[in-house]
Amino acid sequence: MNQNRAAIRYAKATLDFAVEKKAADVVEKDMREIAATISENVELQNVLESPIIKSEVKKNSLLEIFKGANEITKGLLQTLISNKRIDMLQEVAYKYIILHEKLKGEEVAYVTTAVPLTSELEKKILDTVTKATGNKVTLENKIDESIIGGFVLRVGDTQYDASIANKLNGLKREFTNSL
């Protein structure tokens, strides 16, 4: 089973349990914190992916970092560690957020641009994504100058990359393959 499918299964099981215990919103808040913390901390990513670091050390570290988390979230951490899948934690957190938003009839569109979006452009993107998904959509703009220009739009599991950097990489691949 590939990582993506496994992450979806863990996220779905966690969401089902959280809904049953009426804690889905609290667990989503935990998942957002987990996803942000891991993405911002390369050292933590390395610890989670390292086969050398013992599971007990990973578990204690994560429980200390996320000590204010809900018991359901802590249970997920324990399960991932005992099943030797803790390296998937960030992906499980993302999948949980997506599944919970869909359950609520909401979605978040993540737009990465080289410069901040104008309010006019933000409104156009929101309208387009809302029509395409049929759900209530909120927009989060991330600035990444390395994409040079254009944008990368991600809604749920779908991503559309219209960045200049992506187009240049495509041209580079095409050029090197034709040699």
Side-chain angles (χ1 to χ4, degrees), residues 17 36-37 56 115 132 157 173:
F17 188 59
T37 302
E56 194 64 28
V115 295
D157 287 338
R173 279 191 302 275

Side-chain angles (χ1 to χ4, degrees), residues 158-178:
T158 306
Q159 180 170 304
Y160 178 72
D161 192 339
S163 65
I164 302 294
N166 184 49
K167 290 182 182 359
L168 289 173
N169 284 334
L171 285 171
K172 180 180 174 185
R173 279 191 302 275
E174 195 175 304
F175 181 72
T176 52
N177 288 340
S178 66

Side-chain angles (χ1 to χ4, degrees), residues 66-86:
F66 303 112
K67 61 183 165 208
N70 184 283
E71 290 305 312
I72 295 170
T73 305
K74 290 178 182 177
L76 172 64
L77 296 175
Q78 303 259 11
T79 302
L80 289 173
I81 288 168
S82 64
N83 293 345
K84 300 191 183 335
R85 295 290 191 120
I86 197 62

Side-chain angles (χ1 to χ4, degrees), residues 41-53:
N41 193 326
V42 177
E43 292 167 351
L44 181 57
Q45 292 171 21
N46 292 338
V47 166
L48 295 178
E49 293 170 4
S50 174
I52 298 168
I53 298 174

Side-chain angles (χ1 to χ4, degrees), residues 2-167:
N2 70 29
Q3 288 272 77
N4 193 34
R5 284 184 33 210
I8 290 171
R9 288 182 179 179
Y10 280 106
K12 183 160 179 15
T14 304
L15 178 59
D16 290 346
F17 188 59
V19 167
E20 181 183 315
K21 297 294 182 187
K22 298 184 181 5
D25 290 330
V26 175
V27 174
E28 180 181 346
K29 183 176 171 276
D30 291 346
M31 294 300 158
R32 288 185 183 282
E33 183 181 339
I34 287 169
T37 302
I38 293 172
S39 70
E40 294 167 2
N41 193 326
V42 177
E43 292 167 351
L44 181 57
Q45 292 171 21
N46 292 338
V47 166
L48 295 178
E49 293 170 4
S50 174
I52 298 168
I53 298 174
K54 293 185 184 329
S55 294
E56 194 64 28
V57 172
K58 292 178 185 181
K59 177 178 128 184
N60 291 337
S61 299
L62 288 169
L63 290 176
E64 182 60 32
I65 293 168
F66 303 112
K67 61 183 165 208
N70 184 283
E71 290 305 312
I72 295 170
T73 305
K74 290 178 182 177
L76 172 64
L77 296 175
Q78 303 259 11
T79 302
L80 289 173
I81 288 168
S82 64
N83 293 345
K84 300 191 183 335
R85 295 290 191 120
I86 197 62
D87 59 320
M88 300 174 38
L89 178 59
Q90 185 177 23
E91 189 65 22
V92 172
Y94 285 138
K95 298 299 181 196
Y96 180 95
I97 293 165
I98 291 166
L99 290 170
H100 189 236
E101 287 169 345
K102 282 184 181 176
L103 182 70
K104 294 186 296 187
E106 300 174 1
E107 292 201 54
V108 177
Y110 299 95
V111 180
T112 305
T113 54
V115 295
L117 290 173
T118 64
S119 58
E120 181 182 311
L121 191 54
E122 196 172 300
K123 185 177 178 349
K124 283 182 182 177
I125 293 171
L126 264 175
D127 290 345
T128 304
V129 174
T130 301
K131 286 177 188 168
T133 62
N135 290 331
K136 179 183 167 203
V137 178
T138 56
L139 193 66
E140 285 190 25
N141 185 211
K142 179 182 172 195
I143 310 303
D144 181 358
E145 295 173 0
S146 71
I147 70 167
I148 304 170
F151 65 93
V152 178
L153 174 66
R154 196 185 83 193
V155 181
D157 287 338
T158 306
Q159 180 170 304
Y160 178 72
D161 192 339
S163 65
I164 302 294
N166 184 49
K167 290 182 182 359

